[in-house]
Amino acid sequence: MMSLSAKWLLGTMSFLLSSLLILLFVTPPSWGQSSETISPKASDGTPFPWNKMRLPEHIIPGHYDLMIHANLTTLTFKGTTAIEITASQPTSAIILHSNQLQISKAILQKGAGKRPSEEPLRVLEYPPHEQIALLAPEPLVVGLPYTIVIEYAGNLSENFHGFYKSTYRTKEGEVRILASTQFEPVAARMAFPCFDEPAFKASFLIKIRREPRHLAISNMPLVKSVTVAEGLIEDHFDVTVKMSTYLVAFIISDFKSVSKMTKSGVKVSVYAVPDKINQANYALDAAVTLLEFYEDYFSIPYPLPKQDLAAIPDFQSGAMENWGLTTYRESFLLFDAEKSSASHKLGITLTVSHELAHQWFGNLVTMEWWNDLWLNEGFAKFMEFVSVSVTHPELKVEDYFFGKCFDAMEVDALNSSHPVSTPVENPAQIREMFDDVSYEKGACILNMLRDYLGAEAFKGGIVQYLQKFSYKNTKNEDLWNSMASICPTDGTERMDGFCSRGQHSSSSSHWRQEGLDVKTMMNTWTLQKGFPLITVTVRGRNVHMRQEHYLKGADTTETGYLWHVPLTFITSKSNSAHKFLLKTKTDVLILPEEVEWIKFNVGMNGYYIVHYEDDGWDSLTGLLQGTHTAISSNDRASLINNAFQLVSTGKLPIEKALDLTLYLKHETEIMPVFQGMNELVPMYKLMEKREMNEVETQFKAFLIRLLRDLIDKQTWTDEGSVSQRMLRSRLLLLACVRKYQPCVQRAEGYFRDWKEANGNLRLPSDVTLAVFAVGAQTPEGWDFLYKKYESSLSTTEKEQIEFALCTTQNEDKLQWLLDQSLKGDIIKTQEFPGILSAVGRNPVGYPMAWQFLRENWNKLVEKFDLGSPSIAYMVMGTTNQFSTKARLEEVKGFFSSLKENGSQLRCVQQTIETIEENIRWMDKNFDKIRLWLQNEKLELL
C-alpha cells in the first residue's frame, strides 16, 4: 500500500502535489476498547461460540474457489465461495470473517473426489467482530479434508474498500460505472466469506461473471471465457500462488490497456479508462525496468506470468500491491507528457517501485500479523530509494528520500507515538498502523542498518530472508536473524552468532571492534518508540557523547530508553566518515588531533538528532556562512532540522537557529532550501492563526528577502534536473503566494494569456501551480479555473487547479469547495481530505475547515473510516496549527464528546500534544523572534 502522507507546506500543500494523496480505507462499525466479550450473542440472540477478535488457529484454509457475479446496473453482487479446510483439533464450529454479506446457504462437503457427502451448516453472525460461525452437526475429524461452500449476496460498497463502485465521465460527459476491490487491511470479508488474517495463506481460483461489453481482470491471467447465458460471460482465471486474502483483487470495467514484456517473459500491462490510456506509457516503461531490477536484486524470479497496473478513478490511498494486479489512484500512475510536472514523474516512479517491491516484501513474504506491518511498508518505502536510484538516476531520489526521516521524526517526537512494531487487534487500531512510523521510520532505520552493515551484506541478509520465508509469514525477529547470519564484507568473520572483527582494524574506518549483534541493536529501534538525541561535547581531542530520548512536551520525564546508535562523523580535518557504535548512555571517543568543528550523522543516514554543546553550534554556523559546500547538502539540511528541533526542547535559543538559516541566502540545493522552508513557514502559519499581523508580515518579508536571490534566478521554464525543477516549482509558488511582486506580475501575465486561449495554451508545467494560485485570487479567475477543472482529462492539471482554488481569500467559495468535494459529484470525494486540509491552512478558511470537520464528523467516519490515515490527516490538517488555550479547549472538548467514535484515536492525542507544544513554543519564542527581526544584520539581506 502506498500511503503518501501529505505535508501542506506554504500554507496549503507540499511541493509534491501527489502527496495530496493519502491512504484510506473504510468499514462502518465503531470498535469498543475490549475485543473480548464474556459470552457474545449472535444476531439472532443465540450464544456465539467464539469471543475473540482474532480467529481460532485450529481451522486451516488451503484453497478458495470463488465465483463472483456483479451487476453494475443494480450495484449488487452474488457469489459462491468454496473453501478447502482441515482441522487440527476436533471442533463443530468453523469461525471465519464476513462483513455486510447476506448468506443464503452454507454446506459442508466431507472428503475429496467426485461425490463428497454434503450436510447443511447452521450460520450464526456476530457483526461486532465481523465474524460468522458455521455449525456442523458433528465435530470435524482432525486431518480430514473438508470443503465449506457458502452462497451469498451483497451490495457494491459506496466507499473505497471491499468490492466497491467507481465512476468516471467520458469526454462526452457520459457517466460510466465500474467495480474494483481494495481489501487491505480487513475488507476481503466484504466481498467473500474468508479467513481474513494475513497468516491464513491459501491459493485462489477466481471466476467472474460479467456482461459482454465489460472486461474482467484479476490476480492471474485469463484461462478461458464461457458463455453461461445470453448476455452473460464467465471468465476463469488461473489459480494463484499461496497468498493472504488482502492481496486478492478483481476489476470489472471497460478499461483499455497497453502491454510490454520483461526480459524474463513477464507480461506487464497498464489499464486505464479509454480516454486516458494515452497517459499510460511512462508507468509501463518504469514498471518493466523496475520489475527487472527487483528480479535481479532479490535473486528470486517474479513468480507470476503477468503484472497488471490499473488506474482506478475512485481510489483513496496512493496505490495497492495486490499480487499480479496492482491498483493506483489515477494521479499516481498516469503521466501527461504535456502537463505533468517533474515532481509528478518522481511520484509515479516511486509509487510503481513501492508496489512492485511489495511483490516480494509483503506478498511473497508477509508479516504474521498487523503489529509488524512495517516489515511490508518500511521495506517497500526503503526499496523505492534503493531501486529508483539505480533504474532512474536522473530523478536523483536521494535528494528527496531523507526528508522522509524528518517527517517521521515530527510524530515520533511526541509522547503519543508508538514503536515501529506495536500490538494491534481491532480494525481501527490496524488502520492506525498505516502511518509515518510504519512507512517512513521503517524505511529510515533500514537505511541506517544498510549504512551500518554495508550495502552488500545488507542485501545478502534480505535475500536470505526472502528465500527462507517465501510463501510464509514472519515476525520482526525473523528479519534480524537473517541479517545477523550475514557478515559485513570488510574482513569480519562469524563467531557464536555474531560478526566479529580482528583487533587490527582502525576505529576510523570501522564500527567499534566488537561483535555486531544486529537483533539486539535493531530491537532498540523497533520495540521502543521515539529516537535518541545525542549531545556532543568536545574537550580538546576528547569527544564526550551522551544519549537521551528526544521528546517534545512539558512533562518529558526521562524514559530511560537506550539505543544502539551507529554514529558517523566528519571533522574539519577529515571528510571521510568515521564510525562509532554508541551502546551506553555516555561514552568518549578520542580524535587523532584537535579539530575546529565536528559534524555527526554524515549524509543524514542515521535516525537521530545531535546537539553540539558549548561553541559547537557557533562553529557549524560559521562553517555554513563561510564555506557551506565543505559539507554535503544533506548534512546542511540536517543541521537546519536539528537546530529547530533543539529550540523546541530549550537546548538551543531560537536566535541561534535563525542565525544559522541566514546562510541560505547563498544556498542553491534542494534539500537545505526545502528544509529551511519547512522550519520557517510553519512559524508564520502559527502567527496567522493568532492575528499577530505586524510580526507575521515582518517574518514573511524576511523569508522572501532570504530567498530572493534564488527566486530571481529561477527561469519560467521546464529546464534542468528533476531536483532543480521541483525547487523552481516550490520557490515560485512561495514567492507568488507571499505576493512578491516580480513573481505575481509574471504569473498574472501567464494566467491572462492562458485564460484568453481558453486554457489551451501550454504553460511550463513547473510554474503552473504558481500561475493558477495567482489566477484564483480574482472571482473571474477562480470561476474560469473551476470550469477547466470540470472538463480536464489531466490528473496533474486537476490537482493543480484544486490546490489553487483552495488559496482564495473568498470565504463563500471555500465553503462551496468543502460542500462540493464531500458531495463527490464533480470534485470526487477522494479529494476531500486534501481540500479540507488545504482550507485548514488558509488564513481565511481555517475556522470554517475546523467547523466543517466537527459538523460532518459522523459522515466522514462513515465514508473514510475510524483509524484510517485520511481521518488522521483531516484531524491534523484542521487543528495542528492552533496555538491558543481557547482553541486547545475546543479541540479537547469536541473529541472527548465523541466517546468510542473518535476520542481514543492516536491522531487526536497527537494533535492535542502538538497544540500544547505550539502554545509553549509561541509563549517562549514569539517576543524573541520579534526582537530578532529588528536586528541590524538582517538589513544586509
Side-chain angles (χ1 to χ4, degrees):
M1 178 81 59
M2 180 62 149
S3 162
L4 289 194
S5 59
K7 291 253 169 182
W8 289 66
L9 305 158
L10 296 131
T12 32
M13 81 176 220
S14 92
F15 71 96
L16 187 58
L17 252 187
S18 41
S19 61
L20 254 172
L21 312 165
I22 20 135
L23 160 69
L24 296 257
F25 309 114
V26 216
T27 318
S30 60
W31 300 93
Q33 290 314 294
S34 168
S35 70
E36 297 187 17
T37 42
I38 308 306
S39 50
K41 292 273 194 292
S43 45
D44 66 357
T46 56
F48 190 78
W50 187 252
N51 69 344
K52 295 183 172 67
M53 186 71 79
R54 298 282 299 272
L55 297 179
E57 292 175 10
H58 52 260
I59 299 283
I60 300 114
H63 176 77
Y64 291 75
D65 262 15
L66 181 60
M67 192 285 292
I68 298 272
H69 177 191
N71 186 323
L72 300 191
T73 308
T74 60
L75 305 179
T76 57
F77 65 95
K78 292 185 292 197
T80 305
T81 301
I83 314 173
E84 295 172 16
I85 59 167
T86 49
S88 61
Q89 66 185 56
T91 178
S92 53
I94 301 161
I95 314 294
L96 66 161
H97 289 110
S98 175
N99 184 13
Q100 297 171 42
L101 299 174
Q102 295 84 49
I103 293 168
S104 52
K105 185 179 176 186
I107 57 171
L108 181 69
Q109 297 177 341
K110 245 190 300 195
K114 287 265 168 90
R115 288 203 187 152
S117 65
E118 291 191 355
E119 43 195 36
L121 293 164
R122 186 180 168 202
V123 182
L124 297 180
E125 301 187 2
Y126 188 55
H129 287 177
E130 299 174 352
Q131 290 171 356
I132 55 171
L134 305 178
L135 305 183
E138 56 195 45
L140 274 60
V141 179
V142 173
L144 206 65
Y146 292 89
T147 301
I148 47 177
V149 182
I150 305 167
E151 293 178 14
Y152 63 96
N155 296 320
L156 288 177
S157 166
E158 290 288 330
N159 300 321
F160 300 100
H161 66 297
F163 190 25
Y164 71 94
K165 178 190 89 168
S166 174
T167 62
Y168 72 93
R169 281 175 198 272
T170 65
K171 269 193 279 210
E172 295 70 40
E174 180 198 348
V175 174
R176 291 193 183 166
I177 294 172
L178 60 129
S180 185
T181 57
Q182 167 63 50
F183 291 160
E184 190 180 26
V186 289
R189 62 192 72 170
M190 296 179 70
F192 57 101
C194 56
F195 296 81
D196 200 10
E197 293 183 5
F200 288 115
K201 288 192 170 185
S203 56
F204 296 81
L205 193 149
I206 295 169
K207 298 172 190 164
I208 305 286
R209 290 188 175 177
R210 59 170 175 89
E211 293 177 50
R213 67 194 170 105
H214 287 132
L215 162 88
I217 50 176
S218 184
N219 304 81
M220 296 299 285
L222 182 68
V223 175
K224 63 177 179 181
S225 297
V226 183
T227 302
V228 288
E230 193 183 336
L232 190 63
I233 292 171
E234 184 174 273
D235 289 328
H236 294 220
F237 297 93
D238 213 342
V239 65
T240 71
V241 293
K242 198 175 165 191
M243 65 187 200
S244 304
T245 47
Y246 76 85
L247 294 170
V248 172
F250 36 88
I251 301 168
I252 303 166
S253 69
D254 65 345
F255 284 175
K256 296 278 184 272
S257 65
V258 290
S259 306
K260 278 190 176 174
M261 301 292 277
T262 68
K263 284 182 203 147
S264 58
V266 177
K267 185 182 181 184
V268 179
S269 306
V270 177
Y271 286 83
V273 302
D275 288 342
K276 296 181 185 175
I277 194 64
N278 61 334
Q279 300 175 37
N281 290 320
Y282 177 76
L284 179 63
D285 289 340
V288 168
T289 306
L290 285 157
L291 203 61
E292 289 172 348
F293 170 84
Y294 285 134
E295 284 198 311
D296 179 55
Y297 186 89
F298 295 135
S299 305
I300 298 172
Y302 174 71
L304 308 187
K306 61 97 174 171
Q307 170 63 241
D308 296 337
L309 301 84
I312 313 297
D314 297 273
F315 199 83
Q316 206 38 70
S317 66
M320 176 64 210
E321 67 265 23
N322 319 298
W323 215 344
L325 173 52
T326 53
T327 47
Y328 301 76
R329 190 184 268 230
E330 287 185 330
S331 55
F332 272 43
L333 193 66
L334 303 179
F335 184 79
D336 181 342
E338 291 272 301
K339 293 174 177 169
S340 294
S341 61
S343 62
H344 202 73
K345 181 179 273 192
L346 176 66
I348 290 170
T349 316
L350 292 174
T351 305
V352 171
S353 80
H354 182 103
E355 302 316 324
L356 295 184
H358 271 314
Q359 308 301 297
W360 286 264
F361 273 103
N363 300 9
L364 184 65
V365 180
T366 313
M367 76 268 140
E368 193 167 292
W369 181 243
W370 301 105
N371 60 309
D372 280 329
L373 174 70
W374 87 275
L375 288 173
N376 281 17
E377 296 302 350
F379 249 109
K381 197 79 188 150
F382 172 65
M383 289 309 299
E384 292 174 28
F385 170 58
V386 173
S387 62
V388 175
S389 59
V390 173
T391 60
H392 296 75
E394 74 285 357
L395 294 180
K396 295 186 84 170
V397 66
E398 61 278 2
D399 282 353
Y400 167 74
F401 175 79
F402 293 102
K404 296 280 174 202
C405 305
F406 297 147
D407 294 345
M409 285 174 161
E410 278 297 307
V411 291
D412 208 18
L414 300 173
N415 203 32
S416 50
S417 186
H418 63 92
V420 167
S421 181
T422 204
V424 289
E425 199 164 60
N426 69 45
Q429 292 167 345
I430 291 167
R431 282 188 286 268
E432 284 193 308
M433 288 299 285
F434 290 80
D435 67 356
D436 275 359
V437 173
S438 295
Y439 284 70
E440 269 76 19
K441 181 178 179 178
C444 294
I445 62 174
L446 287 168
N447 180 65
M448 180 169 67
L449 180 62
R450 184 172 76 146
D451 190 50
Y452 171 65
L453 292 177
E456 283 308 306
F458 176 86
K459 179 176 162 181
I462 61 174
V463 167
Q464 186 181 86
Y465 168 78
L466 288 171
Q467 287 173 340
K468 182 175 181 183
F469 295 104
S470 287
Y471 305 103
K472 298 190 179 81
N473 296 80
T474 56
K475 299 189 185 76
N476 216 13
E477 63 248 35
D478 295 321
L479 177 63
W480 308 139
N481 291 339
S482 294
M483 289 289 180
S485 63
I486 303 283
C487 287
T489 50
D490 55 8
T492 51
E493 54 194 58
R494 302 242 341 116
M495 284 175 64
D496 303 325
F498 295 99
C499 294
S500 173
R501 289 198 174 85
Q503 294 302 309
H504 308 297
S505 52
S506 73
S507 66
S508 67
S509 60
H510 290 312
W511 304 103
R512 291 266 299 276
Q513 304 99 7
E514 53 196 54
L516 302 184
D517 183 354
V518 174
K519 185 173 170 183
T520 304
M521 170 182 155
M522 292 311 291
N523 280 344
T524 70
W525 296 96
T526 57
L527 302 183
Q528 54 192 19
K529 68 183 177 186
F531 55 90
L533 162 64
I534 310 297
T535 299
V536 174
T537 316
V538 181
R539 296 272 181 273
R541 286 172 51 212
N542 290 5
V543 181
H544 297 260
M545 298 160 296
R546 180 175 80 251
Q547 65 161 299
E548 63 194 277
H549 185 180
Y550 175 84
L551 268 178
K552 289 182 177 176
D555 49 348
T556 52
T557 44
E558 179 58 52
T559 55
Y561 289 176
L562 274 185
W563 284 265
H564 287 195
V565 192
L567 297 173
T568 55
F569 63 94
I570 49 175
T571 70
S572 56
K573 297 287 171 66
S574 168
N575 60 7
S576 62
H578 301 253
K579 301 176 176 184
F580 189 97
L581 186 63
L582 179 64
K583 293 158 75 168
T584 50
K585 186 162 180 61
T586 59
D587 209 336
V588 183
L589 65 84
I590 300 164
L591 300 173
E593 56 188 318
E594 290 193 19
V595 296
E596 289 162 41
W597 54 262
I598 187 166
K599 160 75 176 72
F600 276 81
N601 198 1
V602 180
M604 278 167 38
N605 279 315
Y607 190 74
Y608 58 90
I609 62 171
V610 187
H611 175 42
Y612 303 91
E613 284 205 314
D614 303 334
D615 60 356
W617 276 107
D618 293 339
S619 305
L620 289 164
T621 300
L623 174 71
L624 290 178
Q625 286 168 352
T627 50
H628 64 271
T629 51
I631 57 175
S632 73
S633 63
N634 275 357
D635 282 318
R636 304 195 296 269
S638 72
L639 285 176
I640 295 167
N641 170 273
N642 288 192
F644 284 95
Q645 293 281 357
L646 294 165
V647 170
S648 293
T649 54
K651 301 258 185 197
L652 195 67
I654 182 73
E655 298 90 342
K656 284 205 171 184
L658 289 168
D659 284 347
L660 184 140
T661 65
L662 294 178
Y663 102 90
L664 286 170
K665 187 170 174 59
H666 307 291
E667 183 60 85
T668 57
E669 297 288 328
I670 186 170
M671 275 299 293
V673 174
F674 275 15
Q675 198 52 44
M677 289 161 74
N678 291 353
E679 303 298 347
L680 296 171
V681 170
M683 290 191 206
Y684 73 66
K685 296 309 294 177
L686 290 180
M687 295 176 203
E688 283 178 347
K689 294 177 174 59
R690 290 270 289 257
E691 290 168 5
M692 298 168 153
N693 299 358
E694 188 188 352
V695 178
E696 175 202 321
T697 305
Q698 288 174 357
F699 195 86
K700 288 173 177 173
F702 150 67
L703 181 55
I704 293 300
R705 283 208 312 280
L706 182 64
L707 298 173
R708 183 174 55 204
D709 290 353
L710 194 55
I711 291 166
D712 290 344
K713 278 188 194 131
Q714 301 307 311
T715 58
W716 289 61
T717 64
D718 288 337
E719 291 165 2
S721 69
V722 169
S723 295
Q724 287 165 336
R725 292 177 61 188
M726 283 163 59
L727 183 62
R728 171 189 303 132
S729 193
R730 188 148 164 213
L731 279 171
L732 293 178
L733 179 62
L734 174 75
C736 281
V737 169
R738 292 280 59 83
K739 299 188 171 51
Y740 177 54
Q741 278 313 298
C743 182
V744 172
Q745 285 159 11
R746 191 109 185 237
E748 282 173 343
Y750 268 109
F751 188 75
R752 202 167 39 245
D753 295 346
W754 182 74
K755 187 165 171 279
E756 280 167 12
N758 198 29
N760 296 319
L761 177 76
R762 186 172 177 213
L763 294 170
S765 57
D766 298 338
V767 306
T768 304
L769 207 50
V771 171
F772 287 176
V774 168
Q777 300 314 306
T778 67
E780 312 79 56
W782 197 96
D783 292 342
F784 182 76
L785 280 164
Y786 181 69
K787 192 166 87 132
K788 286 286 120 190
Y789 182 89
E790 287 181 289
S791 61
S792 178
L793 284 174
S794 162
T795 52
T796 306
E797 184 173 64
K798 286 182 91 118
E799 281 182 350
Q800 290 169 328
I801 292 175
E802 215 171 86
F803 166 75
L805 296 177
C806 293
T807 63
T808 179
Q809 303 300 289
N810 181 318
E811 291 183 26
D812 293 340
K813 289 193 182 298
L814 291 173
Q815 186 63 50
W816 187 86
L817 270 181
L818 292 172
D819 293 334
Q820 289 300 312
S821 54
L822 185 56
K823 193 169 136 199
D825 184 18
I826 303 297
I827 304 175
K828 284 188 169 288
T829 307
Q830 65 178 16
E831 309 300 336
F832 176 79
I835 287 174
L836 180 74
S837 301
V839 176
R841 295 288 183 256
N842 184 318
V844 170
Y846 76 88
M848 70 177 72
W850 170 223
Q851 182 69 17
F852 198 87
L853 180 83
R854 287 176 288 175
E855 287 173 357
N856 294 281
W857 180 259
N858 290 339
K859 230 186 261 182
L860 294 174
V861 165
E862 197 181 312
K863 190 77 184 170
F864 295 118
D865 229 15
L866 206 59
S868 71
S870 51
I871 289 285
Y873 181 62
M874 290 187 274
V875 168
M876 299 294 276
T878 50
T879 60
N880 75 354
Q881 290 180 346
F882 291 157
S883 64
T884 64
K885 291 192 170 68
R887 288 288 189 198
L888 176 64
E889 291 314 310
E890 256 181 39
V891 171
K892 282 181 169 175
F894 171 69
F895 287 111
S896 65
S897 74
L898 296 175
K899 307 289 192 298
E900 73 279 0
N901 202 26
S903 63
Q904 302 305 312
L905 290 175
R906 189 184 289 123
C907 64
V908 172
Q909 316 310 317
Q910 286 172 338
T911 206
I912 288 170
E913 269 192 82
T914 303
I915 298 167
E916 289 170 343
E917 165 64 17
N918 291 345
I919 292 169
R920 271 191 305 276
W921 198 95
M922 288 294 273
D923 288 349
K924 190 172 164 191
N925 295 310
F926 179 72
D927 283 332
K928 293 176 180 173
I929 294 170
R930 187 170 52 77
L931 289 170
W932 185 85
L933 286 168
Q934 293 160 12
N935 193 320
E936 69 286 351
K937 66 183 155 197
L938 297 190
E939 299 306 316
L940 303 173
L941 282 179

